[in-house]
Amino acid sequence: MKKWVYLFSEGNADMRNLLGGKGANLAEMTNIGLPVPQGFTITTEACTQYYEDGRKINDEIMGQVMEYVEKIEAMNEKKFGDLKNPLLVSVRSGARASMPGMMDTILNLGLNDEVVAAMIAGNPDPKFERFVYDSYRRFIQMFSDVVMEVGKKYFEKLIDDMKNEKGVEYDVDLDASDLKKLAEQFKAEYKNQLGKDFPSDPVEQLKLAIEAVFRSWDNPRANVYRRDNDIPYSWGTAVNVMPMVFGNLNNESGTGVAFTRDPATGEKKLMGEFLKNAQGEDVVAGVRTPMPITQMEQEFPEAFKQFTEVCETLETHYRDMQDMEFTVENKKLYMLQCRNGKRTAQAALKIACDLVDEGMRTEEEAVAMIDPRNLDTLLHPQFDTAALAAAKPLGKGLGASPGAACGKIVFTAEDAQSWNARGEQVVLVRLETSPEDITGMKSAQGILTVRGGMTSHAAVVARGMGRCCVSGCGDIIMDEENKRFSLGGKEFHEGDEISIDGTTGNIYDGIIKTIDASIVGDFDRIMSWADKYRKMKVRTNADTPADAKKARELGAEGIGLCRTEHMFFSEDRIEIFREMICSDTVEEREKALDKILPYQQRDFEELYEALEGCPVTIRFLDPPLHEFVPTEEEDIKKLAYALGKSIERVKSIISSLHEFNPMMGHRGLRLAVTYPEIARMQTKAVIRAAVAVNKKHPEWNMKPEIMIPLTSEAKEYQYVKKIVVDTAAEELKASGETLDYEVGTMIETPRAAVTADAIAKEADFFCFGTNDLTQMTYGFSRDDAGKFLNAYYDKKIMENDPFVKLDQEGVGKLMKMAVDMGKAGNPSLHIGICGEHGGDPSSVEFCANVGLDYVSCSPFRVPIARLSAAQAAISQAAAKKEESGSKADDSKKSFVDDETKARLKEAAEKAQEIAKDLAETTAEVGKAGLAALKAGIEEAKKVYSEKRDN
């Protein structure tokens, strides 16, 4: 029979996957001799089985649970449901990854009318009677809410009514008779809501509570938390059942929560709160104002002294800041939980550095301790904590780009520019953004969109700029024409003030105070350690010198993606580019492109200067041309006049550019095949800019990288590469200079991945464009997927947005195939990634594992990528070390040679023959046969032992 249940004394900290974090830590605290009420843990595998069995606890699991109830009854000298000495228990969740507040807990389980009456009869003290009824009403309320899903509000109203009737402010001021009456009212409300009596059988209570905890693994808040923190649904939660200790027993008792270091700043000092005559839920729920943990020393000096010793023991043992829950019952301390405490990014950096300085951690361990995602909060303005706590969100979208933004609402990119020019801070609100909005986005403090996901245009560009962005707020009712929208029951107009939180996705009415993010010295220290241990390079996606300089400040080692199309949208260039698009002949197009060439060359020179000799990868024109043409009547007229064409002719050209599926249409290198003059102009700009900068800075040894987008077929890549090489040769010959450069391609289509060996023969490098590769592998649009992905999450078809977290099973396999085939076809090939996944920690780790040379991400995600790359390298090194150690252990175990194995086999066979022959005779002879079999086994053991000893 499978083991579904473990006593705390049977586990340890290494069994986290099976026992969950809470269960493993309770076991570990038991092992090191701390005062833990002795209970048991129902495994995470039992949770998985619960779901496989149709959300039911099977008889085998429940049988083991009751067997272990008997064991803790004996250990605690109390009996479950007994009237003389009842065992009351708590039932708590405990996933392998900490999920504070996401799942459910039930306290005081095992109480019923009979047990309550018997407990009171055995102790006539009125204070004890009050404690019993206090525990009973708490249990009824918690069980009703958590297990039977009867809302708290019904019970809270009854409590408020009772306090009003008695003229008191706090629950603690109600006496025994009040609490007894409340318990009766609670049971009546339970029956009123559910149509049946409150369950009195402790065994039934226990089973229902365990099911409720398993069920809470799939509650909405837990599902959201898991998606946000990369916790797989398949892990499940454990359940911890432990005897109750009572902080609400009397004024000699209490409960508290504490941290061994300040979780906000990282300062090394005991932080926490404590409440007398209370249970843990009172501290967490804020029912009463707790006292600082240090005040506990005056109330319970002995327990406090022991607690501080426990804190030191736990931090030394786990070598990390600890978050602990504890109870004092009659001045005696009991530890109910410990875990590595949640902390701010600032605190995480300080704690990691301090632990190294204190000799508790190595540099590698310090780097591995920090969640890379938390670094975002150090790099963007944030709302003031107190001001944010006082504000109520009107709505919520996707936190697409971190930071805090507040200002006056504008509805167009032009208005954002003009309002900003006159000194106004603005938030740009759009149905969705397009490349044309880029200048307005730069002028805005933040961007709010109704449509689009985490990799929509607004999200990607905002992250690149370091602008706060909330995307995909579908609750907004937009009226762009009249410059107004409705949200949360309020209508907003142009000029009204709002605030948006790009980390949480929350949207607020009015202006919320912001504070500048601060990067403390510990940040640089951690990053220097990360750079010391990582193997992969980290580049940035940048299109402007300002972005490039910011990325360099944050540690970028080059540009992995310069999107040249963004350079065409400024006012002095877009008209020329539109002339090129609407030209009828090659000559007309070349004439327009000649006008753009100096702008493009200057752009590249500025980028080269900003990067100071670091690699710069320039992607040639990628979007379909329809994104550049005008849509407004006035702009069309203006273009027609500039071209000397009729308005109807220009409209006809614009109409001809329409595509039913533009993201899979006439774009990328297909444009260069159709219009090679575009590729020639961009090649000239790249080479001329590099030659010019090389003359000024010969020590930089410029080597530009030209990236051809959207290759699917080796022949089309060869065709475009020839245009690039021939044009570059002409330019270098004309300049009289020599210059090394590389030509590579993006791997963005499944066909490119599966034919990577052929493409690699002609390419100097590959770069994965995982936004498009994901889109084409799944076959859905990244901008529209948000409409149905929530249904996929709810039905457990998918756990994450594949545009945010790389799909390692599908897209990842294509990447691995392309890496292996590409490097086999061209050993000098270097490979990177420049999709948005380049800044996602789990995706960066995958890239390291499949052998990429670099990742490239938006400037403000560079530190995240640096840290993630270091963690991947440290993890790989640890795995190799463990593997080599395992092999060494295996070689030590292999001391039985072939000759000895043959002798052992022969001895066993003889024993079997003797036993078989003798078993067919009389019983007496059968006994002799058994003796002979034993003798044969002893002989075999002797041979084995001799060999082992030698």
Side-chain angles (χ1 to χ4, degrees), residues 124-360:
D125 184 347
K127 292 181 180 177
F128 184 77
E129 180 184 8
R130 186 201 177 280
F131 149 71
V132 173
Y133 279 118
D134 183 43
S135 300
Y136 194 24
R137 65 93 184 175
R138 287 172 183 270
F139 170 56
I140 297 169
Q141 181 178 358
M142 192 174 282
F143 187 93
S144 301
D145 175 34
V146 169
V147 179
M148 305 308 293
E149 299 178 351
V150 178
K152 290 181 190 175
K153 60 184 180 181
Y154 302 107
F155 304 98
E156 288 170 350
K157 184 179 185 304
L158 292 171
I159 295 171
D160 289 340
D161 289 346
M162 178 65 74
K163 287 190 291 189
N164 289 335
E165 180 186 328
K166 303 295 289 188
V168 298
E169 185 175 356
Y170 298 111
D171 299 2
V172 73
D173 297 322
L174 297 172
D175 62 23
S177 62
D178 300 329
L179 295 170
K180 180 180 180 180
K181 186 177 178 182
L182 269 181
E184 294 300 323
Q185 290 176 347
F186 282 9
K187 286 189 293 179
E189 186 63 34
Y190 179 96
K191 187 169 185 177
N192 179 51
Q193 293 291 330
L194 297 177
K196 57 184 177 182
D197 290 329
F198 188 83
S200 60
D201 178 8
V203 175
E204 181 187 0
Q205 293 173 356
L206 180 61
K207 183 175 182 181
L208 290 170
I210 294 168
E211 287 179 336
V213 173
F214 282 156
R215 192 169 64 239
S216 71
W217 176 249
D218 196 25
N219 72 35
R221 66 180 185 273
N223 285 329
V224 170
Y225 187 91
R226 278 200 306 276
R227 281 204 298 275
D228 289 345
N229 292 276
D230 293 338
I231 301 171
Y233 175 76
S234 58
W235 282 4
T237 182
V239 178
N240 300 286
V241 178
M242 60 195 300
M244 284 296 303
V245 285
F246 297 99
N248 63 328
L249 180 61
N250 49 40
N251 284 328
E252 305 284 286
S253 306
T255 188
V257 176
F259 300 86
T260 56
R261 301 183 189 227
D262 188 329
T265 66
E267 184 182 353
K268 189 176 182 180
K269 64 177 182 180
L270 186 61
M271 291 283 293
E273 296 174 324
F274 181 78
L275 266 177
K276 282 174 61 177
N277 199 352
Q279 289 196 325
E281 59 177 312
D282 298 335
V283 178
V284 177
V287 175
R288 290 156 53 195
T289 303
M291 62 180 77
I293 191 72
T294 49
Q295 210 169 317
M296 178 183 162
E297 185 173 14
Q298 281 75 51
E299 302 290 341
F300 309 119
E302 291 182 12
F304 182 76
K305 181 176 183 295
Q306 185 185 5
F307 179 66
T308 56
E309 291 169 355
V310 166
C311 290
E312 187 174 345
T313 298
L314 286 173
E315 183 165 285
T316 302
H317 185 77
Y318 285 101
R319 300 182 303 136
D320 198 355
M321 183 263 277
Q322 292 300 294
D323 169 5
M324 301 151 296
E325 293 180 18
F326 64 94
T327 285
V328 175
E329 180 182 296
N330 278 328
K331 298 188 176 180
K332 184 176 180 183
L333 176 71
Y334 294 92
M335 298 302 298
L336 306 182
Q337 174 176 309
C338 77
R339 62 188 173 198
N340 293 341
K342 297 288 183 183
R343 63 206 75 180
T344 65
Q346 179 185 350
L349 296 171
K350 177 169 176 55
I351 290 169
C353 290
D354 286 352
L355 290 174
V356 172
D357 293 340
E358 293 163 21
M360 294 175 70

Side-chain angles (χ1 to χ4, degrees), residues 717-907:
Y717 171 72
Q718 291 168 1
Y719 177 84
V720 177
K721 181 185 176 182
K722 187 175 187 305
I723 295 170
V724 171
V725 171
D726 289 349
T727 305
E730 291 170 7
E731 288 296 317
L732 291 173
K733 183 178 180 181
S735 70
E737 300 289 329
T738 59
L739 179 77
D740 285 336
Y741 66 93
E742 293 186 341
V743 184
T745 187
M746 296 188 79
I747 304 295
E748 300 172 274
T749 69
R751 193 179 191 282
V754 299
T755 60
D757 50 345
I759 298 171
K761 291 175 183 176
E762 294 289 332
D764 296 313
F765 64 89
F766 283 170
C767 189
F768 289 103
T770 47
N771 294 347
D772 270 317
L773 187 57
T774 298
Q775 183 168 239
M776 295 193 189
T777 301
Y778 272 100
F780 51 59
S781 162
R782 68 185 182 191
D783 288 326
D784 297 318
K787 296 173 183 175
F788 58 81
L789 280 181
N790 282 334
Y792 274 57
Y793 302 148
D794 293 342
K795 293 172 174 61
K796 307 300 181 289
I797 296 169
M798 297 174 72
E799 292 192 38
N800 300 97
D801 183 340
F803 293 108
V804 176
K805 183 181 178 185
L806 185 69
D807 162 38
Q808 298 181 15
E809 294 179 0
V811 176
K813 283 184 180 176
L814 288 171
M815 291 176 64
K816 179 73 165 65
M817 183 187 302
V819 170
D820 293 344
M821 293 171 65
K823 290 199 170 181
N826 178 0
S828 63
L829 190 77
H830 60 94
I831 305 177
I833 180 175
C834 60
E836 279 301 295
H837 295 109
D840 170 64
S842 64
S843 305
V844 171
E845 180 182 14
F846 175 80
C847 292
N849 291 337
V850 297
L852 265 61
D853 299 295
Y854 68 88
V855 297
S856 186
C857 56
S858 53
F860 285 92
R861 294 185 75 82
V862 166
I864 295 172
R866 289 165 65 193
L867 185 59
S868 301
Q871 291 177 346
I874 290 166
S875 178
Q876 286 174 337
K880 286 180 182 177
K881 186 176 180 180
E882 186 176 337
E883 183 182 351
S884 62
S886 177
K887 286 179 179 177
D889 289 342
D890 288 342
S891 65
K892 290 176 185 176
K893 293 173 186 174
S894 302
F895 58 78
V896 181
D897 57 26
D898 291 341
E899 180 187 349
T900 308
K901 287 177 183 176
R903 289 174 62 194
L904 289 169
K905 184 179 179 183
E906 184 181 351

Side-chain angles (χ1 to χ4, degrees), residues 196 279 447 451 541 638 696 779:
K196 57 184 177 182
Q279 289 196 325
I447 300 100
R451 301 174 187 155
N541 303 339
K638 189 176 179 182
K696 282 197 276 184

Side-chain angles (χ1 to χ4, degrees), residues 372-418:
R373 294 168 299 188
N374 290 346
L375 296 183
D376 254 346
T377 60
L378 295 174
L379 304 170
H380 301 275
Q382 297 297 309
F383 288 122
D384 178 73
T385 306
L388 195 62
K392 183 179 179 182
L394 277 179
K396 186 178 178 71
L398 298 171
S401 183
C406 45
K408 294 181 178 178
I409 295 167
V410 293
F411 290 87
T412 69
E414 293 77 14
D415 287 341
Q417 280 182 278
S418 61

Side-chain angles (χ1 to χ4, degrees), residues 428-569:
L428 177 62
V429 182
R430 303 279 282 148
L431 268 175
E432 58 195 359
T433 62
S434 70
E436 289 188 39
D437 293 327
I438 192 163
T439 52
M441 294 171 73
K442 285 182 180 177
S443 302
Q445 300 298 306
I447 300 100
L448 170 61
T449 70
V450 181
R451 301 174 187 155
M454 295 292 284
T455 56
S456 64
H457 174 268
V460 171
V461 175
R463 282 196 290 271
M465 295 177 177
R467 289 290 186 278
C468 168
C469 176
V470 174
S471 64
C473 180
D475 291 337
I476 290 177
I477 301 169
M478 175 68 87
D479 182 359
E480 279 189 313
E481 185 177 351
N482 295 301
K483 295 187 176 181
R484 65 188 180 192
F485 70 87
S486 298
L487 177 64
K490 178 174 179 178
E491 186 168 279
F492 290 85
H493 301 83
E494 184 178 60
D496 290 345
E497 293 177 328
I498 60 167
S499 299
I500 60 174
D501 188 332
T503 303
T504 64
N506 285 337
I507 303 157
Y508 302 89
D509 184 13
I511 300 292
I512 297 177
K513 181 183 175 184
T514 60
I515 54 174
D516 290 335
S518 58
I519 298 178
V520 296
D522 293 324
F523 179 87
D524 285 333
R525 196 174 176 200
I526 290 289
M527 285 295 106
S528 68
W529 291 340
D531 294 340
K532 179 178 177 181
Y533 295 106
R534 67 182 165 90
K535 306 298 181 189
M536 273 196 312
K537 299 289 186 182
V538 176
R539 300 190 188 183
T540 189
N541 303 339
D543 316 320
T544 67
D547 287 347
K549 286 174 183 174
K550 173 54 68 176
R552 286 285 286 147
E553 288 172 15
L554 296 173
E557 298 164 294
I559 291 178
L561 173 63
C562 167
R563 305 176 185 91
T564 53
E565 59 270 12
H566 286 177
M567 298 171 170
F568 299 136
F569 280 104

